[in-house]
Amino acid sequence: MEPILSVEGLTKRFNQDKSSVLAVDNISFQLFSGDCLGIVGESSCGKSTTVNLITRLKDVDSGKIILNGIDITSAKGKSLHSVYQKMQMVFQFPQDSFNPHQKLNDAIIEPLINNGMSKREAKKQLPYLLDLVGLDLSLINNKYSYELSGGQCQRVAIARAIAIKPKILICDEATSALDVISQKQIVDLLKKLQKQFNLSIILITHDLSLVRQICNRVIVMYRGKIVEENSTNEILQNPQQEYTKLLIQSTV
Ligand SMILES: Nc1ncnc2c1ncn2[C@@H]1O[C@H](COP(=O)(O)OP(=O)(O)OP(=O)(O)O)[C@@H](O)[C@H]1O
Ligand SMILES: [Mg+2]
């Protein structure tokens, strides 16, 4: 089976004042259709940088990113358009996904309009898209992101991300800023959408219980490197690396 996303030897160094940090150090992995891949590891180990490179929010120093068989390592401008048709991202702080001056109605349908749909047609999709994430149009109608709760806003961010039916959804700590009940609801929503649209998900998290609930495979990162990769069961029940054992112990 061909991977939907393949990352080969990805490397990124940042210069900070007089020193520099190797945020992502020669990492390679593959994501297959229908996978939910967890990326775990302590703060600063390079998780967000990895997905920021994959989604082309940052330029790589070296390595390759292959999306659906196409090399997108240096994709810019118009070719980024087709990248974002296939790959969408949901961030830690739901409000970050929205322009505070843009009404949520318009924000959700923006990707559809960018994709060539008329505004009228796109608007017709709103009730359906909101229904997918368990919200009613009356809740968001003519509102701005700051008028919603974090959990509601994250649902709207997910509705926006899946509006154009991407193949891959990347969630960077998408539930970390929420209370436990809202976290559980978002996880259940992601599971439902994954099945419904055969989405492949990359889930970045500190939370191993989240990984247990939703991921079928896990990558453990430490200081920019992948130190262990396996099925979720193997990682949680039979960790090979000392660092993974520590990570599991520290979360029980
Ligand atoms: N734009 C930047 N400029 C300079 N250094 C950066 C930049 N972005 C990230 N870094 C550094 O790269 C390293 C990896 O950061 P990254 O944000 O990828 O970690 P993370 O695993 O996502 O951490 P967290 O769990 O806290 O979100 C850190 O040392 C960080 O300080
Ligand atoms: Mg991060």
Side-chain angles (χ1 to χ4, degrees):
M1 192 169 47
E2 279 286 299
I4 185 163
L5 176 75
S6 176
V7 167
E8 296 164 22
L10 214 56
T11 300
K12 178 73 178 178
R13 183 182 287 280
F14 289 112
N15 294 318
Q16 298 177 334
D17 296 328
K18 285 169 193 151
S19 63
S20 77
V21 52
L22 196 51
V24 174
D25 185 2
N26 191 22
I27 69 167
S28 303
F29 66 88
Q30 296 183 323
L31 180 76
F32 291 92
S33 179
D35 257 354
C36 182
L37 176 69
I39 302 184
V40 301
E42 67 192 6
S43 190
S44 298
C45 71
K47 304 180 297 295
S48 294
T49 304
T50 299
V51 292
N52 289 339
L53 294 173
I54 293 171
T55 50
R56 299 288 299 115
L57 295 174
K58 290 201 164 80
D59 288 332
V60 308
D61 288 346
S62 54
K64 258 190 188 174
I65 307 159
I66 313 285
L67 176 64
N68 248 7
I70 296 166
D71 188 335
I72 61 154
T73 317
S74 313
K76 281 196 180 66
K78 275 195 178 150
S79 49
L80 271 184
H81 184 72
S82 66
V83 169
Y84 295 134
Q85 274 182 320
K86 296 190 187 110
M87 192 157 60
Q88 285 280 314
M89 201 160 165
V90 178
F91 299 94
Q92 175 170 9
F93 299 104
Q95 269 84 1
D96 285 357
S97 301
F98 299 101
N99 171 348
H101 305 295
Q102 186 183 33
K103 285 183 181 158
L104 290 169
N105 309 35
D106 295 328
I108 297 170
I109 61 172
E110 193 174 48
L112 292 170
I113 292 170
N114 290 342
N115 224 9
M117 196 181 272
S118 71
K119 190 164 184 186
R120 228 181 105 184
E121 280 306 307
K123 270 186 174 169
K124 283 192 198 157
Q125 299 260 328
L126 260 179
Y128 163 72
L129 290 171
L130 288 163
D131 185 56
L132 283 176
V133 297
L135 294 179
D136 198 87
L137 182 57
S138 60
L139 179 86
I140 67 132
N141 213 11
N142 291 319
K143 288 204 176 126
Y144 295 91
S145 55
Y146 53 81
E147 296 180 272
L148 262 55
S149 76
Q152 289 167 337
C153 202
Q154 199 59 299
R155 282 170 190 269
V156 178
I158 293 171
R160 182 182 207 271
I162 60 168
I164 50 167
K165 307 277 182 314
K167 296 197 178 321
I168 302 173
L169 186 66
I170 299 181
C171 304
D172 188 355
E173 304 277 2
T175 62
S176 311
L178 306 176
D179 64 82
V180 282
I181 303 217
S182 307
Q183 278 184 4
K184 172 84 172 73
Q185 290 171 342
I186 296 291
V187 168
D188 290 345
L189 173 63
L190 289 174
K191 275 186 179 169
K192 183 194 87 165
L193 295 173
Q194 185 186 21
K195 266 205 191 126
Q196 198 167 347
F197 297 109
N198 194 30
L199 265 180
S200 304
I201 297 179
I202 297 180
L203 189 94
I204 292 185
T205 180
H206 287 103
D207 185 350
L208 286 171
S209 73
L210 204 66
V211 163
R212 183 179 280 117
Q213 288 176 62
I214 184 168
C215 299
N216 61 313
R217 283 201 306 136
V218 188
I219 282 173
V220 182
M221 285 187 73
Y222 180 67
R223 295 194 177 170
K225 288 187 191 308
I226 293 179
V227 292
E228 191 161 358
E229 178 178 0
N230 216 328
S231 69
T232 304
N233 280 347
E234 277 298 305
I235 289 275
L236 294 176
Q237 285 165 26
N238 189 20
Q240 298 299 304
Q241 301 294 324
E242 283 312 308
Y243 177 70
T244 313
K245 290 179 193 168
L246 267 174
L247 200 66
I248 293 170
Q249 277 165 17
S250 65
T251 52
V252 239

